[in-house]
Amino acid sequence: SAEPQDVFVEAESFAVTGSAGGWVIDQQFAEQMGSPYLLAHGLGRPVADAKATVRFPAAGSYRLFVRTFNWTAPWSKKPGPGKFQVLVDGAPAAVEFGTAGDRWQWQSGGTVKVAKPEAVEITLRDLTGFDGRCDALFFTRAPEHVPPDDAAELAAFRRRHSPERRPQRREFDLVVAGGGVAGICAAVTAARLGLKVALVQDRPVYGGNNSSEVRVHIEGRTNHGKFPRLGDVVREVQPPKHARNASPAGGDYADERKAAVVSAEPNITQFLNCRASGVRARDGKITSVLARHNATGETIALVAPLFADCTGDGSVGAAAGADFLMGREGRYAFGESLAPAERDKKVMGASVLWATRETAEPSPFPVFKHGLVFNEKNARKVTYGEWFWEAGTDRDQIRDAERIRDLGLLAAFSNWSFLKNEHRQKEKYARRELQWVAHIAGKRESRRLLGDIVLREQDVRAGVEYPDGCVPTAWPIDLHYPEPKNSRDFPGNEFITINKNTHIKTYHIPYRCLYSRNIANLFMAGRDISVTHVALGTVRVMRTTGMMGEVVGMAAAIARRHNCSPRTVYAEHLAELQELLKRGAGKATGKGAGKPPPAAKTK
């Protein structure tokens, strides 16, 4: 147990024990760094204070350590822009944080004094609005106690200084990890077919890339091909109108609409702001997924006979030992003409979108120079960032996810600073202010979990008809690459891409791409299904992934009814699945809408 002279505070817990103020909880990189953290994402304007009240063991002097990160260190040796203070009962520590160091590490804050230990107010005060970040605070009266930086030692340190909580146990028919379009369509469909469903989403809103947090418009085509009712659920959750990327929040992304559709299903138990933080598996089957709340740390063991990985990153599958691919396969592997000659680690990148708005009076923006040097020739003379503001095509989208997102932030802030402060026609931008920059990156590709079929380029282009073809895709094979000019201007730090399209006829993705080949009770829907890098180019758009979710929900109902595996649904119950595909799972809300099929009888 922790020594009584120590006080350890997870920064995200401010949202529970006090108020996060204008700071936001960022959970995207918890898999890599061990915890969510608080982020001061103010677009160059300091955010409101985060405050928490903490009980200390005794009055007196404490040494303070703050785990933080100078996020621009990979690009600049200057002090970082994410500067903040820590105040104890209103008195600031002697050191300002977030401007030094080249990685996540503990920064010494000197000594602070505690007068009334039963209720000590701790404040995080942002000084810049430029994405200062705080993971945890450690106070100690013991001179020999220093928190560790090593990942394994830090994990053990966290456990020692956190209250022991035995996970609650909840039982369901199906656990869906991931609340993007694919995940919510899987959950809604399965629930309408009578299954008790747990839906785990690590953000406060549903929609993933098609949410107000990321703001990528929904693409693809539903309700066509062999099963025209497939897509009815997608139509219920999609925004009512087609908006451009990075358009204003609200109806353009339909967060409330998605939430309403999910909440209307009594068979769905929602676990918002919860990460699928651990997986327990035995004999090639998942037994439970641990859902950990981002702010409270409370963990719930979700037990079920069936699981669906709709995380995008294939996180549940990878943790369970599922086979997967990452990067681009060489041409020899699957015989694809669009594949590179040799295998490499390149992927499609992650977008950090941004937008500005017109103001009545000139609006200033701070000079922001932290490693990316913009000039008249390389600056992007635009007032919002489209899909092609895309970084990380040459990096690991899981291991390097924070650096990729941070490059997107760095590019947006640096380019806008140049336009506002140095561009020879800066008066054009004088009455525009930075309105929104995504702090949640919109990923396109990472792990792809392997099923009984790995869909290839030639399957799609030749129109190979598999007997279990189900999800229609007519989107081209849409692959992204760094823009050559951007590569010349910012070698190694590309943040603009181009796309190359190979058009196809409508193709039906086989059901056997939607379950794991070596984890017997795992489905998947979304960009982590069983496809090659090239084939991912046509299946990854969100209306298509939503239809994958509908198919998974139907197949899960059949598997539960017959107490069988996803593979057995194909081998023995394909006709039953096809009957559900014909009928659809949508509510009868308009002309031609299919009636939902009868509820499954579970065992």
Side-chain angles (χ1 to χ4, degrees), residues 417-433:
S417 173
F418 178 81
L419 296 182
K420 291 285 286 185
N421 298 305
E422 299 180 74
H423 185 33
R424 63 172 177 259
Q425 294 181 315
K426 61 184 180 183
E427 66 277 0
K428 290 175 56 177
Y429 307 95
R431 287 184 170 82
R432 294 202 74 86
E433 70 176 5

Side-chain angles (χ1 to χ4, degrees), residues 53-189:
T53 301
V54 177
R55 185 180 182 87
F56 277 61
S61 295
Y62 288 78
R63 294 160 59 232
L64 167 64
F65 296 88
V66 177
R67 191 164 189 254
T68 184
F69 178 33
N70 168 21
W71 66 273
T72 58
W75 302 278
S76 174
K77 295 182 179 179
K78 293 170 52 179
K83 184 165 57 175
F84 65 95
Q85 293 176 306
V86 174
L87 292 78
V88 178
D89 283 335
V95 175
E96 292 177 343
F97 300 93
T99 62
D102 60 358
R103 64 191 187 283
W104 276 102
Q105 61 191 67
W106 291 97
Q107 184 176 350
S108 175
T111 301
V112 297
K113 292 185 178 181
V114 169
K116 297 179 179 180
E118 63 277 3
V120 179
E121 184 180 73
I122 301 173
T123 301
L124 301 182
R125 178 159 295 164
D126 175 34
L127 298 177
T128 66
F130 280 125
D131 294 271
R133 49 201 73 180
C134 180
D135 173 36
L137 304 98
F138 180 63
F139 301 84
T140 182
R141 292 184 292 165
E144 72 278 10
H145 287 183
V146 177
D149 282 318
D150 174 79
E153 293 178 4
L154 178 61
F157 177 85
R158 287 187 194 276
R159 289 193 295 271
R160 286 199 307 273
H161 289 84
S162 299
E164 291 188 17
R165 298 185 178 119
R166 174 168 290 185
Q168 299 179 36
R169 177 186 168 95
R170 302 281 299 275
E171 294 188 2
F172 297 90
D173 296 312
L174 172 68
V175 174
V176 177
V181 174
I184 57 180
C185 288
V188 167
T189 300

Side-chain angles (χ1 to χ4, degrees), residues 181 205-218 237-259 353 436 542:
V181 174
V205 298
Y206 291 116
N209 285 349
N210 185 238
S211 71
S212 61
E213 293 189 319
V214 184
R215 303 190 190 182
V216 175
H217 61 216
I218 193 166
V237 302
Q238 72 183 16
K241 63 178 182 178
H242 185 85
R244 69 162 172 81
N245 294 319
S247 62
D252 287 351
Y253 300 98
D255 291 351
E256 295 80 6
R257 178 180 177 130
K258 296 180 179 76
L353 306 185
W436 172 81
M542 285 180 277

Side-chain angles (χ1 to χ4, degrees), residues 491-545:
N493 289 310
E494 292 88 348
F495 57 87
I496 298 291
T497 62
I498 58 172
N499 69 323
K500 296 181 180 179
N501 289 342
T502 301
H503 291 278
I504 65 168
K505 296 180 180 179
T506 295
Y507 181 79
H508 292 87
I509 303 164
Y511 163 70
R512 282 172 287 173
C513 294
L514 305 183
Y515 62 83
S516 170
R517 71 185 188 186
N518 69 309
I519 302 299
N521 59 343
L522 179 64
F523 293 100
M524 52 265 193
R527 60 180 174 85
D528 60 359
I529 69 165
S530 183
V531 294
T532 65
H533 164 83
V534 174
L536 180 65
T538 180
V539 307
R540 63 183 174 78
V541 290
M542 285 180 277
R543 286 194 181 93
T544 304
T545 63

Side-chain angles (χ1 to χ4, degrees), residues 369-421:
K369 293 184 177 182
H370 290 275
L372 293 189
V373 180
F374 284 83
N375 54 44
E376 300 291 341
K377 292 184 178 180
N378 65 23
R380 300 281 158 163
K381 302 167 185 65
V382 294
T383 57
Y384 73 99
E386 254 283 9
W387 64 262
F388 46 79
W389 285 70
E390 179 182 348
T393 56
D394 61 344
R395 288 195 168 273
D396 188 311
Q397 289 280 337
I398 296 173
R399 184 193 63 210
D400 301 329
E402 186 174 25
R403 178 164 174 168
I404 293 166
R405 189 280 307 270
D406 287 349
L407 176 57
L409 294 178
L410 183 68
F413 293 147
S414 302
N415 186 77
W416 188 244
S417 173
F418 178 81
L419 296 182
K420 291 285 286 185
N421 298 305

